[in-house]
Amino acid sequence: MVTMTNIIYAEKLIDREGNQITRERLKEGFKDAIEINKKLILDNKRIAYFFIDPLLNNFEAANSFYFSILGCNSLDKINTYKSGASPVQSLFDARELIENDLYDAVFIFGYDPLLTNKQVYGKDLIKQAMDIFNGRSILECYNLISHKMCEVLKISKELFFQLTDGLYRNYLKTYTKTIGQEVSYDRGRLLDDLNGDLFRITDCANPNIDFAGGVILVNDKTAKILNIRNKRIKVAGVKYSMVAGMPENIDQIVGSKENIFPHLRSSFLVAQHEAKINVIEEFRNKNLLLDLYTCYPPIPLAFLLTTQMVESVWELPLFLSNYEITITGGMNFARAPWNNPALNGLIEMCKMMSNEAVNYGLVHGNGGIGEIQGVAILERGM
């Protein structure tokens, strides 16, 4: 009998004001995770602990969280992850450990008080920490990727702006529905002065948020011991792929007209094969939810094109007006806690799949300047 990997817990805390997620609030917010951890330890289960690192102060972040918040006394195995694709990478690793019968349970948590750190340390330090290429900003790199995509796909600047506006309207529609109130259409200024001539400010991930959240994965036997039935979400397929991540490697990241973002396509095809479904058919039949990574416009556009959810660039405007590509409203509206947006999407996906009549959910992760691409497909337990 094949051992399956089940997500039995998914929870998060968010703060848009700063300095509100105290240690006491973390312990209260994750009290069910703390109890699950205690039960697993008492039952001598083999537990691995994974952590999605914050932007700042990441050296002791994982140890501090698991010892101070979850109340662990010792950790036999702990891994940390450091990119926007990390939640999918950690999901891949967790499934490998569980389905090869090396561990019974894996905790994947992340905590990044990004907004509070900005208030405490100042905007300049945050900006400096995000400058991973020593002078060439992430925004500039994604702008170069956008120009390369336009060149490869023969897209005019005018059409690219039409597509970015379509993305914004798509996110706005979802976010308005999510919060239950109208949000005004406001694209913000062009970012020419920041070497982002193809972007408006609302095309960029908004990091002004504190986030904490996590999921717990277990094998079938452990799920039964914990008496978890209806809330199980199965990891049906998951894969990530990498190429070299540097501004000089943008051509390889983008790929060719016939094979745009090839490493993303390969991750998608493997995850889809493992899940034994046709993602496009399930999505069109409203039986699958999408949460694409929306840090900058070329990433979700690349996903739609390389997976052939749309067959050509010219179909993108109509597709974006008819189908929602996130469940959160994207990383400008829903905010972007550095390495943790895909973990936020994963948690939201689990919650929505537990409450809605859809059987599948797809979460997309993107790392660096697009060099790491991960796809996870979830299936609702029967």
Side-chain angles (χ1 to χ4, degrees):
M1 183 175 176
V2 178
T3 299
M4 302 307 302
T5 302
N6 308 280
I7 300 175
I8 60 160
Y9 172 93
E11 194 56 75
K12 66 176 183 177
L13 297 172
I14 59 172
D15 169 26
R16 291 175 175 237
E17 302 299 323
N19 206 32
Q20 302 296 310
I21 302 182
T22 61
R23 179 174 296 186
E24 290 71 26
R25 190 176 170 198
L26 285 167
K27 288 184 176 180
E28 176 62 26
F30 299 131
K31 62 183 179 182
D32 290 343
I34 293 169
E35 286 304 310
I36 291 171
N37 190 42
K38 287 179 180 177
K39 289 179 183 178
L40 294 174
I41 291 170
L42 285 172
D43 206 41
N44 294 314
K45 293 300 180 184
R46 300 162 297 172
I47 313 168
Y49 300 90
F50 294 171
F51 195 76
I52 314 300
D53 268 343
L55 176 63
L56 300 183
N57 306 321
N58 57 30
F59 182 69
E60 283 294 327
N63 292 352
S64 177
F65 183 87
Y66 283 118
F67 288 128
S68 301
I69 306 304
L70 255 62
C72 298
N73 292 316
S74 65
L75 304 176
D76 291 332
K77 181 174 181 60
I78 183 164
N79 284 8
T80 59
Y81 298 81
K82 296 175 171 59
S83 87
S86 292
V88 177
Q89 291 176 281
S90 60
L91 203 64
F92 177 92
D93 291 346
R95 190 189 63 166
E96 194 170 60
L97 291 180
I98 288 172
E99 295 186 7
N100 284 295
D101 195 30
L102 298 172
Y103 284 83
D104 302 301
V106 180
F107 286 62
I108 302 174
F109 276 77
Y111 174 39
D112 196 337
L114 196 52
L115 178 56
T116 294
N117 283 340
K118 179 181 175 182
Q119 294 169 353
V120 172
Y121 298 113
K123 184 177 180 180
D124 288 344
L125 183 64
I126 298 296
K127 184 179 178 181
Q128 181 182 345
M130 291 181 174
D131 184 12
I132 59 177
F133 296 116
N134 298 320
R136 182 163 271 177
S137 71
I138 292 177
L139 185 151
E140 183 180 356
C141 290
Y142 277 107
N143 196 63
L144 291 170
I145 287 172
S146 299
H147 276 287
K148 185 62 182 179
M149 280 184 67
C150 288
E151 176 191 328
V152 167
L153 298 171
K154 295 179 168 46
I155 299 174
S156 66
K157 194 170 184 177
E158 291 71 27
L159 177 56
F160 189 80
F161 281 135
Q162 182 184 347
L163 296 177
T164 58
D165 194 64
L167 288 170
Y168 177 83
R169 292 178 184 275
N170 190 287
Y171 309 151
L172 179 64
K173 178 181 178 181
T174 303
Y175 186 67
T176 297
K177 182 174 68 174
T178 299
I179 66 171
Q181 64 185 59
E182 288 298 316
V183 179
S184 62
Y185 174 93
D186 181 7
R187 291 288 277 119
R189 69 179 184 89
L190 278 168
L191 301 178
D192 304 63
D193 58 322
L194 299 174
N195 296 315
D197 67 298
L198 289 180
F199 299 150
R200 293 187 177 276
I201 196 166
T202 49
D203 292 323
C204 307
N206 182 346
N208 292 308
I209 192 170
D210 289 352
F211 169 88
V215 295
I216 301 174
L217 302 96
V218 299
N219 57 25
D220 294 326
K221 184 178 179 180
T222 304
K224 288 178 182 176
I225 290 171
L226 292 170
N227 200 28
I228 304 290
R229 293 192 180 92
N230 297 333
K231 293 182 180 180
R232 289 195 215 179
I233 301 293
K234 183 170 72 174
V235 181
V238 58
K239 179 63 177 174
Y240 70 92
S241 301
M242 302 172 63
V243 295
M246 61 190 76
E248 296 77 21
N249 200 43
I250 281 174
D251 287 4
Q252 186 182 356
I253 293 170
V254 172
S256 64
K257 183 177 181 180
E258 294 74 25
N259 195 16
I260 203 82
F261 272 70
H263 52 311
L264 170 52
R265 178 163 177 76
S266 66
S267 292
F268 170 78
L269 290 176
V270 171
Q272 178 177 244
H273 176 74
E274 290 178 346
K276 298 180 175 62
I277 63 170
N278 184 306
V279 166
I280 297 170
E281 287 182 7
E282 298 293 348
F283 182 67
R284 300 271 183 166
N285 291 332
K286 299 182 179 179
N287 195 32
L288 180 144
L289 297 170
L290 281 180
D291 196 60
L292 302 191
Y293 202 91
T294 62
C295 56
Y296 292 93
I299 299 305
L301 294 176
F303 183 96
L304 296 174
L305 290 167
T306 198
T307 61
Q308 298 179 346
M309 296 200 81
V310 296
E311 293 184 5
S312 75
V313 171
W314 311 106
E315 294 181 13
L316 281 166
L318 184 61
F319 183 93
L320 290 171
S321 67
N322 289 332
Y323 297 98
E324 295 177 48
I325 64 172
T326 74
I327 57 173
T328 60
M331 290 166 57
N332 183 269
F333 288 115
R335 311 288 174 93
W338 195 235
N339 293 326
N340 282 286
L343 181 56
N344 179 52
L346 179 62
I347 294 165
E348 274 306 309
M349 189 67 76
C350 290
K351 289 177 177 292
M352 290 188 72
M353 289 177 67
S354 296
N355 297 321
E356 296 195 16
V358 295
N359 287 325
Y360 302 100
L362 185 152
V363 178
H364 173 213
N366 167 84
I369 56 171
E371 73 268 17
I372 315 174
Q373 295 294 330
V375 176
I377 299 173
L378 308 180
E379 181 179 354
R380 187 168 65 168
M382 300 301 175

